[in-house]
Amino acid sequence: MLTGLAWLALEVKYLESARAFYEETLGLPVRKRGDDELVATAGETDLVLRRPSGLPRGGLHTHYAFSIPDAEYDNWWDRLSESYDLEEAQFGPARSLYLYDPDGNCVELGQQDVTGPGIGGIFEVVLEVADLERARDFYEDLGFETVDEGDNRTRIRLHGPMALELWEPHLGIADARGGVHVDLGFETDEPKTALKAVADRIDSLEQETDDEVVVRDPDGHVLTFITP
């Protein structure tokens, strides 16, 4: 049903410090600049950096993950560790490093099957939710599939256009937290079909056309279903 992650939007206080981190430190191209928003690209996904000047706001303290080629991991670690207090985690054969951006978002760079050079996309986003089962049902009806449940029952991992982690409030690896009022855009050939799948459980319907549907999920996250 949902075929791709079109964008992830983050709230930032100061565009210049956010731009410097993502464009200069992480090497993301910036394709659009405005007074209150700029848009960088991570593979096929836009990373939107937005000042809190209107609605929807971007996500706060959002934990999410960029994909990097296996062979580049050590170079990323060596370079970033000169300026940042990094943490590392191992997931099977793959390693991930964690650092924080200027606005307190926990940014993960993880080894994935991408060609590079540099960041190849966003492969995971973490949302904070009040009720795991309610959130799981909602996203499974949008086509996500549960692949893992945390041992302490505070998190669920689903796969879809990217990995989606649903967290009840807690601190994860590197003291990361799930994002609140996160703004996600999803590509789909049938936006109204996606709406129909969850229409009885959305918090609000913000916009509906043949090509674009905008809703708020039960936890206040803004979801846009848009044709590619």
Side-chain angles (χ1 to χ4, degrees):
M1 184 182 300
L2 306 180
T3 57
L5 179 63
W7 70 76
L8 164 67
L10 304 176
E11 181 172 297
V12 303
K13 288 180 68 175
Y14 307 111
L15 282 180
E16 178 53 30
S17 59
R19 182 210 58 78
F21 177 81
Y22 285 103
E23 185 177 32
E24 298 174 14
T25 302
L26 297 187
L28 297 184
V30 172
R31 68 171 184 82
K32 181 180 178 182
R33 302 170 191 262
D35 292 338
D36 292 312
E37 181 177 288
L38 65 82
V39 181
T41 58
E44 298 299 316
T45 299
D46 284 343
L47 180 69
V48 182
L49 306 173
R50 181 183 296 148
R51 285 175 51 81
S53 58
L55 295 175
R57 292 168 63 182
L60 290 178
H61 56 71
T62 306
H63 171 38
Y64 68 98
F66 287 126
S67 55
I68 58 172
D70 289 355
E72 291 187 13
Y73 182 87
D74 289 337
N75 289 337
W76 278 102
W77 180 277
D78 291 344
R79 182 169 66 82
L80 292 174
S81 64
E82 294 178 0
S83 302
Y84 295 89
D85 183 15
L86 306 180
E87 292 200 29
E88 183 176 66
Q90 186 96 21
F91 304 97
R95 292 175 292 169
S96 285
L97 64 83
Y98 299 77
L99 73 162
Y100 279 82
D101 77 2
D103 292 278
N105 300 294
C106 184
V107 182
E108 176 182 350
L109 276 66
Q111 291 177 309
Q112 297 285 306
D113 185 18
V114 293
T115 57
I119 287 169
I122 293 174
F123 72 88
E124 176 185 294
V125 178
V126 181
L127 305 180
E128 184 173 289
V129 302
D131 185 316
L132 278 179
E133 292 305 321
R134 181 185 69 180
R136 184 222 299 262
D137 290 345
F138 183 90
Y139 283 97
E140 283 186 342
D141 284 347
L142 288 172
F144 284 86
E145 178 185 359
T146 298
V147 294
D148 182 55
E149 299 181 2
D151 294 336
N152 56 5
R153 297 293 296 156
T154 59
R155 53 171 286 272
I156 294 174
R157 185 177 183 86
L158 304 98
H159 276 183
M162 78 298 187
L164 181 67
E165 292 239 352
L166 306 173
W167 289 9
E168 290 184 347
H170 74 280
L171 299 181
I173 297 171
D175 286 342
R177 294 171 288 172
V180 298
H181 53 69
V182 177
D183 176 6
L184 294 171
F186 291 107
E187 295 177 348
T188 176
D189 292 332
E190 300 177 332
K192 289 191 174 184
T193 299
L195 172 61
K196 184 178 179 180
V198 294
D200 59 333
R201 282 157 295 151
I202 59 174
D203 182 67
S204 63
L205 174 61
E206 304 292 322
Q207 178 178 329
E208 181 182 2
T209 69
D210 289 340
D211 297 326
E212 183 173 353
V213 171
V214 184
V215 303
R216 290 186 183 271
D217 80 358
D219 292 283
H221 302 296
V222 176
L223 311 178
T224 300
F225 311 127
I226 190 168
T227 56

